[in-house]
Amino acid sequence: MSDSDAIQNDFITKVNELIEENISNTQFGVSELAQEIGMSRSNLLRKVKSLTKLSVSQYIRQIRLKHSMQMLHEGSLTVSEVSYRVGFSSTSYFIKCFHDFYGFSPGEAEKRNFEESNHDQAPNMKISKKIFLLAGAFIILVLVFFIFIMPYLSAKKQIIKSIAVLPFRNDSNDSSNLYIINGLMESILTNLQKIEDLNVISRTSVEKYRNTNKSISDIAKELNAYYIVEGSGQKVGNKVLLNIQLIDAKYDKHLWAQQYNKGTEDIFTLQLDVAKNIAEEIKVILTPEEVKKINKIPTDNPVAYDFYLKGLEPLHQGTETGLIEAIPYFEKATVEDPEFSDAYANLAIAYYYLDIFQIEKKNSELINNYADKALLFDSHNSRSLIAKAFYYMNIAEYDQALPYFEKALDYSPNSAFIINFLSDFYTTYRPNTGKYLEYALKGIQLDIASSDSATASFTYLHVSNALIQSGFVDEALRYINKSLEYNPQNIYSEYVKAYILFAKNKDLNQTIQLLLNTLEKDPTRLDVLQEVAKIYYYLRDFDNSYIYYKRFLDTKNALNMDIYPSENSNIAVVFSELGFKEESSKYLNEFKIFADNNESIYKNYILSNYYSYIGDTEKALEYLRLFSNEEDYFYWVFTFAKIDPLYDNLKDSEEFKMIIQSIETKFWNKHKEVKAALKAKKLI
């Protein structure tokens, strides 16, 4: 045995010992094992997967089930007693896992021969001709089942487990009580989202039905939800009155209803009870990990929680006014409960969004302090990890932010928010086509059927954008059309489609017309304004380019926003062409500062732009050669370099043409590798 094999065996032995020591502890899961063995959660997941081909939770479950088999053969304990002794908090979940693993129920275990019941062994037997024929018939039936019946059942299962929690109605005439009703609705929705077998429609998607007159069946159809939860209530003194009902939307049938009259100190019991009752009614089995997550309360201080709920409503508005209004409530929550992790995390997040587009970052210290406190009191809270990541984003330490986003994804692997943020991270902050495509495809691997139309549209948008930046034109066009099918008003998708069609047709006049059509729908959109100006720039229609860049700059400066610094080079060219030399020089200097401080793989390319424009062709070619050694750059680099006015001083240079050709050749070679990998995974 090699030293490497010995180390691996020692590792697995240690893992087994730790699991067996905690075999009856229902709370012992991935995080606890990682802490006991002294590894990060992500490293533990990778190592166990590489050695056992199982996830950590699957491996822990397998050890528990093997112990349960031994106990059942001893015959002195009931199935329920065994389930709890091997760490299952739910007997029904234990029975399901046992049957999945061994192929028969725990009740049959005592009757079975122990060796034959061993999951790792296969009996050696002779197969008679009759059995062989029966087996053949069985295989045919199985094929029929999987080809003709299973797709129907899978689709049905997917629909049945899709649920929407509609905005709760405030039964009080006092509108100031609305926050607690909304808070209850959101907490119940959040608890349901912790159940893996449930597809829960997002809060933002159900919000539009707050004052609707539409029928339940119409709402369910629009949201692709099989179940609907409705509620109404009010706060009277220290009492919370809540009426809630679960509806089978397909048949408009009321499955469950309950009236609650609880003191505010029992609000968490109420929330947990609702989530568990709904799960039980629609026959969703909760895993021990899910029970643990649902039972976890954010604070044991009802006054702190009341302030927290008051802060959520303005926070979710996503406006500067809303953020400013939310902050004092979260501050009061932390005064009442100085260990309230979620409140600290939301403070950090609110201050991050107040700073996000500001040239001068004013809140960095506050963001960091609140994020650290959130992590101190709950380091396993994905919201705390996001808060810390946002601190590093705020101070432009993007590489430091990345591990926190990745760890947050470990704790919330189905979070569309985190996956989409990572997609954006790899296209905006640390451009990397491979990673961008990876996270965009992860987004689409989430159950798209359970997503609301807005979320699905943005998920397909990310995939399409990642594909076009990797050179997959036809595939990108297919996904951007899907994005627009889900949400025809998605302006981001409209202008990405304009660029995809340019990649296909190489017609800038078509591109500008499509972008102008998009801008007509919302003339205030700064992103579309600068895209229109940019295409006029490439067309060398500097008069029209100036008009749109001027509108873009006026609004950007009025709002004191720090966005699209890379556009300053184009703006400098346009202003110079129209005779505004002083302003041109100002924007060119700002572009040089941006280039010098850039830490992405595009730094040398950006510097090449600058030196080409000022006429230093030797330096321009030097930086372009350096850039040609990079990997994972976007399709647009060589596509627009050939027509960019910044390169007018180099356009006749044979060396320039050779370098651009080498960049393009390397891109398409990489494209072939990516294409083969995606085809192997059946992703394209």
Side-chain angles (χ1 to χ4, degrees), residues 122-241:
N124 183 19
M125 60 181 71
K126 293 182 179 179
I127 303 176
S128 68
K129 185 176 180 181
K130 183 176 180 181
I131 293 175
F132 181 79
L133 291 172
L134 287 171
F138 174 73
I139 289 169
I140 291 170
L141 287 172
V142 169
L143 288 172
V144 169
F145 175 79
F146 278 100
I147 294 171
F148 297 105
I149 301 173
M150 189 63 181
Y152 166 75
L153 292 178
S154 297
K156 186 175 180 182
K157 178 181 178 183
Q158 187 180 59
I159 296 170
I160 286 176
K161 293 188 177 181
S162 181
I163 189 167
V165 182
L166 297 183
F168 288 1
R169 189 176 67 252
N170 181 18
D171 288 335
S172 169
N173 292 325
D174 184 358
S175 60
S176 65
N177 277 340
L178 183 62
Y179 77 91
I180 198 162
I181 301 304
N182 287 343
L184 283 169
M185 171 258 184
E186 181 160 334
S187 298
I188 290 165
L189 183 146
T190 301
N191 278 332
L192 292 174
Q193 286 176 331
K194 295 171 183 174
I195 303 172
E196 187 177 358
D197 280 352
L198 271 182
N199 298 320
V200 184
I201 308 301
S202 72
R203 177 191 181 279
T204 51
S205 294
V206 298
E207 184 60 33
K208 62 186 175 184
Y209 298 102
R210 180 171 294 279
N211 298 307
T212 187
N213 293 320
K214 291 184 177 180
S215 68
I216 290 295
S217 59
D218 286 341
I219 294 172
K221 186 176 181 181
E222 290 177 14
L223 292 173
N224 196 25
Y226 195 88
Y227 294 113
I228 296 289
V229 177
E230 281 191 315
S232 66
Q234 59 182 307
K235 182 184 177 187
V236 180
N238 290 324
K239 290 283 186 180
V240 174
L241 311 178

Side-chain angles (χ1 to χ4, degrees), residues 213-412:
N213 293 320
K214 291 184 177 180
S215 68
I216 290 295
S217 59
D218 286 341
I219 294 172
K221 186 176 181 181
E222 290 177 14
L223 292 173
N224 196 25
Y226 195 88
Y227 294 113
I228 296 289
V229 177
E230 281 191 315
S232 66
Q234 59 182 307
K235 182 184 177 187
V236 180
N238 290 324
K239 290 283 186 180
V240 174
L241 311 178
L242 183 68
N243 300 300
I244 194 161
Q245 55 186 340
L246 174 68
I247 303 166
D248 181 330
K250 183 176 180 180
Y251 301 105
D252 198 12
K253 177 183 176 184
H254 287 64
L255 300 176
W256 168 79
Q258 184 72 45
Q259 289 185 326
Y260 293 92
N261 185 342
K262 297 277 189 181
T264 51
E265 70 277 5
D266 295 322
I267 196 168
F268 298 119
T269 306
L270 185 158
Q271 294 167 4
L272 301 178
D273 188 55
V274 170
K276 289 178 179 178
N277 275 321
I278 290 172
E280 183 178 340
E281 191 62 41
I282 60 180
K283 297 178 175 56
V284 173
I285 297 174
L286 299 177
T287 68
E289 284 284 328
E290 289 165 352
V291 171
K292 180 180 175 182
K293 289 176 184 176
I294 291 173
N295 284 336
K296 183 179 179 181
I297 62 172
T299 175
D300 56 7
N301 186 314
V303 177
Y305 192 63
D306 193 66
F307 282 127
Y308 176 78
L309 292 180
K310 286 178 178 176
L312 286 182
E313 191 68 22
L315 179 72
H316 288 316
Q317 292 172 12
T319 63
E320 183 179 4
T321 303
L323 293 168
I324 292 170
E325 184 184 341
I327 285 170
Y329 289 119
F330 295 132
E331 288 174 337
K332 289 175 183 176
T334 61
V335 170
E336 292 294 332
D337 180 359
E339 297 184 5
F340 196 167
S341 177
D342 279 331
Y344 287 120
N346 279 352
L347 279 166
I349 290 167
Y351 278 114
Y352 168 76
Y353 279 112
L354 281 175
D355 256 6
I356 190 168
F357 292 126
Q358 299 305 310
I359 295 172
E360 181 185 352
K361 307 299 184 187
K362 300 177 181 178
N363 298 311
S364 302
E365 188 175 346
L366 283 169
I367 298 168
N368 191 34
N369 288 341
Y370 285 130
D372 282 346
K373 286 183 178 179
L375 283 169
L376 174 66
F377 298 119
D378 191 351
S379 61
H380 296 166
N381 184 349
S382 61
R383 202 159 187 79
S384 302
L385 292 160
I386 290 168
K388 188 65 176 180
F390 278 174
Y391 163 67
Y392 286 115
M393 296 295 291
N394 177 269
I395 62 172
E397 293 286 348
Y398 305 126
D399 293 330
Q400 297 273 30
L402 185 58
Y404 288 94
F405 282 125
E406 290 176 335
K407 196 169 184 180
L409 189 61
D410 279 344
Y411 290 120
S412 300

Side-chain angles (χ1 to χ4, degrees), residues 1-65:
M1 180 185 294
S2 69
D3 290 344
S4 175
D5 289 338
I7 291 169
Q8 290 177 355
N9 284 340
D10 289 345
F11 173 76
I12 287 296
T13 300
K14 180 64 175 174
V15 167
N16 290 347
E17 287 173 355
L18 289 170
I19 296 170
E20 287 164 2
E21 286 172 12
N22 293 275
I23 198 75
S24 62
N25 181 359
T26 59
Q27 306 300 315
F28 190 80
V30 181
S31 300
E32 290 72 22
L33 179 58
Q35 188 173 356
E36 288 284 336
I37 208 164
M39 296 177 71
S40 71
R41 182 185 170 98
S42 55
N43 284 339
L44 177 66
L45 290 168
R46 281 192 289 270
K47 188 157 188 176
V48 170
K49 184 76 171 179
S50 68
L51 294 176
T52 68
K53 309 304 180 190
L54 298 171
S55 69
V56 177
S57 58
Q58 287 172 331
Y59 190 72
I60 293 172
R61 191 182 309 132
Q62 180 174 288
I63 299 292
R64 293 186 192 279
L65 291 169

Side-chain angles (χ1 to χ4, degrees), residues 551-562:
R551 282 173 57 186
F552 165 75
L553 289 169
D554 288 346
T555 307
K556 172 187 166 183
N557 294 334
L559 296 173
N560 196 31
M561 298 177 78
D562 181 21

